[in-house]
Amino acid sequence: MPNYGSPEAIEELAARLRSQIEIMRTTGAKVHSDVLKTNWLGAAGTSYKDRAEQDWLWAQSLAGQVDGIASLLDQHANQLRTTLAMISRAEQAIRNWFNQAQHVITSAIQQAQDAASDAIHHLTNLRPPWELPLKHICRPQRPTSGNSR
C-alpha cells in the first residue's frame, strides 16, 4: 500500500509523549515536595517557594496539555486507520473491476479469434462451384402446396 501514514508510528509517538510527561510529573512532584519542606525564612525564602509553586502549576498545566496532545494523536491514528481501511477496500474493488474487465475483454478477443479461425477454415476448405457435383448446384425446385402454376 502506498505510504499514507502509519497509525502505529503515531500511537508510538503518543506513548512516548505520555512516558516523558509521566517522568516530568514524578520528578516535578518530588522537587515540589522538597521545596515545600525547606525551612527558608524571609523574603528570599518566600519568593523561592512562590516561584517554585508557580513552576509546579505551570508544569501541571503543561502535562495536561501534553496529555491532550497525546489523546489527539491517538484519535488521529484511529481515524487514519479507518481511512486506510477504506482506501484499501476501494483499491481492492478497483483491482477486482479491472481484473474482471480484463477477463471479459480477453474472452471476447478469444471468441473473435475462434470465430475468425473457424471462418477461415471453412473458407479455405470450401470447394468452388465448378468442383461440386452437378446435383449439389442444380437442385430441382419442388412445388409448394398452395402455389400451383
Side-chain angles (χ1 to χ4, degrees):
M1 172 173 281
N3 188 8
Y4 295 116
S6 168
E8 293 78 17
I10 294 169
E11 289 170 335
E12 182 182 321
L13 175 60
R16 283 196 322 260
L17 284 174
R18 286 189 179 100
S19 174
Q20 292 298 314
I21 210 64
E22 193 54 39
I23 292 169
M24 187 188 90
R25 279 186 174 122
T26 303
T27 305
K30 182 174 181 341
V31 169
H32 185 252
S33 175
D34 291 346
V35 167
L36 293 178
K37 292 177 188 175
T38 61
N39 291 325
W40 294 355
L41 302 174
T46 302
S47 177
Y48 176 70
K49 286 182 182 180
D50 288 347
R51 179 60 190 206
E53 186 67 24
Q54 289 173 0
D55 288 350
W56 171 242
L57 293 174
W58 175 81
Q60 288 178 317
S61 173
L62 178 63
Q65 291 173 18
V66 172
D67 279 337
I69 291 169
S71 293
L72 289 173
L73 286 170
D74 285 336
Q75 289 173 14
H76 176 64
N78 287 333
Q79 289 173 344
L80 180 58
R81 188 173 283 110
T82 299
T83 302
L84 290 175
M86 289 187 325
I87 290 170
S88 178
R89 287 191 300 272
E91 288 175 342
Q92 185 60 45
I94 291 167
R95 276 192 297 275
N96 290 344
W97 184 88
F98 276 107
N99 288 340
Q100 184 180 7
Q102 179 185 14
H103 176 73
V104 168
I105 291 169
T106 302
S107 294
I109 290 171
Q110 186 61 50
Q111 289 173 357
Q113 287 174 336
D114 291 345
S117 177
D118 288 348
I120 290 170
H121 175 72
H122 288 301
L123 288 174
T124 56
N125 291 323
L126 187 63
R127 290 173 53 190
W130 55 88
E131 291 182 3
L132 294 175
L134 193 55
K135 66 179 183 177
H136 289 293
I137 298 173
C138 300
R139 291 189 183 167
Q141 295 289 327
R142 292 187 186 156
T144 58
S145 62
N147 188 10
S148 56
R149 282 191 179 189

